Amino acid sequence: MKKTLTTAVIAMGMSAGAFAEAKVAMDAIPAAPESQVTLSNWSAQPYNHWSFKNASILPSLMVPRGGDITEIPYALNSKVPNLAFEFEGKSYTVRDAMVGDDTDGVVVIKDGKIVYEEYFNGFGPHDHHIWASSTKTLVGQVMGLLVEEGKVDVNVKVETYLPELKGTHFGDRQVRDILNMVSALDYNEDYVNFEPGQISTEYFRRLGFVPAFDLMALDPTKSDTPRGTLPLLSQFEQTDAFEPGYKFEYHSPNVDVAGWIISRVEGKPLQTVIAEKVWSKLGVEHDAFMAADVDFNAIATGGFNTTLRDFARVGMAFENNGQYNGEQVFSEKWVKDTFALTDAEKEQVANSNYKDPNSAAFDPWLEGYKNYLWVHDSENGVGTFRGVFGQHLYINQDKDLVIATFSSAESASNAVRETNKPRLAAFEAIAEQLK
């Protein structure tokens, strides 16, 4: 029988109940052994409450802010956390839904003003937190800037920009395929079980999310073994089950391709492009940083780290068709196109497990997936940035509403984690009830 690595086992073999009772006291000098966050337990509770706000446990790259800070005005409304709603026969308040999924911080912005802001688990307004896969949607919008500038054509093959991938499955895909995750990879996005030798395991090892000390120690002048994610992309192959373009499958390596294209076209590292084109224009309060892979390249698929209000500022720009702080931060045409789902794009999601009522990942809110945005309602401009363990940025253009949450949930997959579903329902309840 093949060996598998399970994060729950790696994390000191503790049960969920033991996790709930354990306490991480990393502020002690030195930390007690049972409290010590390591590269083997950092994503498991209770360790992730500390590690997700100190994600420089991975190599990190600076994304500096710029200009004056643009304050978000307050119009606090004590009713918001107590808004009540029903979901699957159970009653919740907004705050119940947040606490129930181990939220570290939540901010609700209505009509450009903060109406609710609360922090939990020792997290605070000046603490950084990893976005995880919410980073993907930011990368998708940076790609839109290059499309508007005429530097990228989404209808040409990836190999046009990345000749290193010529003759490979990724190289033969159109850029649009990778932006909508319809590239039909032979790959399994499993955050728990890692079979040695599988492409998915090798991918996560190179991201640094699974310890890979052997890769870290490789001398690239003496070995051609891919150390980081980008050299590994040439090894991905097509599934035998269906053709590219048939259905949406949530496969993170697509975004590494997009990030590489952005860097190649701009002639700069991804974190520098984001700093110059986005982060320096938002009037944010803090510098950001990006986690890096074993090759010290910015992790396009999930490496961004910011404070919560700065996360929300990205949502405010997106909600306003790319405009914020007196700047056209994102492309207005691209934001609108992101919501403008074609019939084919709707069908791609309809063919996915997210629309299968018998699947644990069934998502009643999802209409489409485009440019790495989870589109809930294309007509009214409603969608989410989503990152594992509960990182969410909810956008509702019709209601002029932005909701940002950081979390340190018990398990990675938002799609199948039952405690995350009331959170998504809470977003909709706020949109419906908050006037």
Side-chain angles (χ1 to χ4, degrees):
M1 185 172 64
K2 291 183 178 180
K3 294 182 179 180
T4 61
L5 301 179
T6 305
T7 52
V9 173
I10 292 174
M12 299 178 65
M14 299 175 72
S15 68
F19 279 140
E21 295 174 2
K23 295 184 182 298
V24 175
M26 286 292 291
D27 291 337
I29 307 297
E34 64 273 13
S35 297
Q36 182 68 57
V37 174
T38 73
L39 288 176
S40 294
N41 69 19
W42 72 282
S43 65
Q45 284 188 343
Y47 309 100
N48 60 7
H49 288 296
W50 185 91
S51 63
F52 286 1
K53 72 174 184 178
N54 293 278
S56 54
I57 60 170
L58 300 172
S60 59
L61 304 162
M62 181 60 67
V63 184
R65 62 171 307 282
D68 296 332
I69 294 173
T70 299
E71 299 289 350
I72 308 173
Y74 282 84
L76 294 175
N77 183 342
S78 61
K79 295 180 180 179
V80 176
N82 299 311
L83 290 175
F85 64 95
E86 299 285 324
F87 178 70
E88 294 186 343
K90 295 183 180 180
S91 299
Y92 298 87
T93 65
V94 166
R95 195 175 190 277
D96 289 339
M98 298 303 146
V99 172
D101 201 35
D102 297 291
T103 295
D104 294 319
V106 54
V107 59
V108 177
I109 301 172
K110 172 68 173 172
D111 300 326
K113 299 177 181 179
I114 296 175
V115 295
Y116 173 47
E117 182 178 20
E118 188 169 6
Y119 298 91
F120 309 86
N121 303 319
F123 189 72
H126 300 292
D127 289 320
H128 281 69
H129 200 291
I130 193 164
W131 286 24
S133 290
S134 283
T135 308
K136 293 175 168 67
T137 321
L138 175 61
V139 170
Q141 291 307 302
V142 174
M143 181 71 80
L145 293 171
L146 302 188
V147 171
E148 184 171 83
E149 293 169 10
K151 297 177 179 178
V152 174
D153 182 348
V154 300
N155 297 312
V156 304
K157 290 184 177 182
V158 166
E159 66 183 29
T160 305
Y161 304 104
L162 303 175
E164 295 92 333
L165 296 180
K166 187 176 179 63
T168 70
H169 178 63
F170 266 134
D172 201 38
R173 303 277 60 76
Q174 290 188 348
V175 176
R176 170 54 59 203
D177 292 339
I178 66 166
L179 289 170
N180 289 12
M181 292 203 189
V182 292
S183 51
L185 298 183
D186 184 11
Y187 168 83
N188 181 24
E189 186 98 0
D190 188 339
Y191 305 109
V192 177
N193 300 304
F194 298 98
E195 291 190 11
Q198 292 293 314
I199 190 69
S200 54
T201 301
E202 293 307 309
Y203 172 69
F204 277 97
R205 276 168 29 87
R206 281 156 178 83
L207 287 176
F209 293 168
V210 172
F213 304 109
D214 57 322
L215 296 176
M216 298 176 195
L218 283 176
D219 181 345
T221 67
K222 298 178 180 179
S223 172
D224 60 1
T225 298
R227 297 174 72 249
T229 53
L230 303 188
L232 188 71
L233 294 174
S234 64
Q235 298 184 17
F236 283 83
E237 298 179 349
Q238 180 179 329
T239 179
D240 294 329
F242 48 84
E243 292 297 311
Y246 172 67
K247 71 174 180 177
F248 161 57
E249 288 192 302
Y250 189 78
H251 287 164
S252 289
N254 287 286
V255 195
D256 299 292
V257 176
W260 194 1
I261 291 173
I262 291 169
S263 295
R264 175 61 52 79
V265 168
E266 288 294 283
K268 301 174 182 178
L270 180 60
Q271 72 274 10
T272 302
V273 179
I274 293 175
E276 293 178 354
K277 289 186 174 292
V278 178
W279 208 245
S280 62
K281 298 179 178 181
L282 284 169
V284 295
E285 298 174 54
H286 302 91
D287 294 333
F289 66 89
M290 290 192 79
D293 70 4
V294 177
D295 266 345
F296 301 106
N297 290 310
I299 298 175
T301 200
F304 214 58
N305 292 256
T306 74
T307 54
L308 182 62
R309 285 195 296 261
D310 286 346
F311 187 36
R313 284 177 170 89
V314 173
M316 294 175 76
F318 196 100
E319 187 269 331
N320 196 35
N321 287 321
Q323 189 176 70
Y324 183 70
N325 192 36
E327 299 268 7
Q328 191 65 45
V329 181
F330 303 129
S331 163
E332 179 177 3
K333 182 178 180 180
W334 186 260
V335 172
K336 290 181 176 178
D337 182 66
T338 300
F339 283 114
L341 300 174
T342 66
D343 290 341
E345 287 166 341
K346 292 178 182 178
E347 184 67 19
Q348 288 163 351
V349 166
N351 291 335
S352 75
N353 65 333
Y354 295 95
K355 301 311 294 182
D356 178 358
N358 297 315
S359 169
F362 175 70
D363 188 330
W365 298 280
L366 188 63
E367 180 186 2
Y369 187 88
K370 188 173 184 178
N371 300 332
Y372 308 133
L373 180 74
W374 301 76
V375 180
H376 298 203
D377 182 343
S378 57
E379 183 176 344
N380 292 304
V382 183
T384 43
F385 296 38
R386 300 186 188 181
V388 290
F389 293 98
Q391 324 320 322
H392 288 299
L393 189 56
Y394 173 85
I395 313 295
N396 190 318
Q397 294 184 325
D398 181 58
K399 302 291 187 179
D400 196 4
L401 178 67
V402 173
I403 306 171
T405 68
F406 285 147
S407 298
S408 301
E410 184 175 2
S411 59
S413 176
N414 296 320
V416 301
R417 193 175 64 254
E418 288 301 319
T419 52
N420 185 60
K421 295 174 182 179
R423 177 200 301 278
L424 292 171
F427 295 162
E428 299 298 339
I430 292 171
E432 291 171 6
Q433 298 183 45
L434 188 61
K435 307 300 181 184

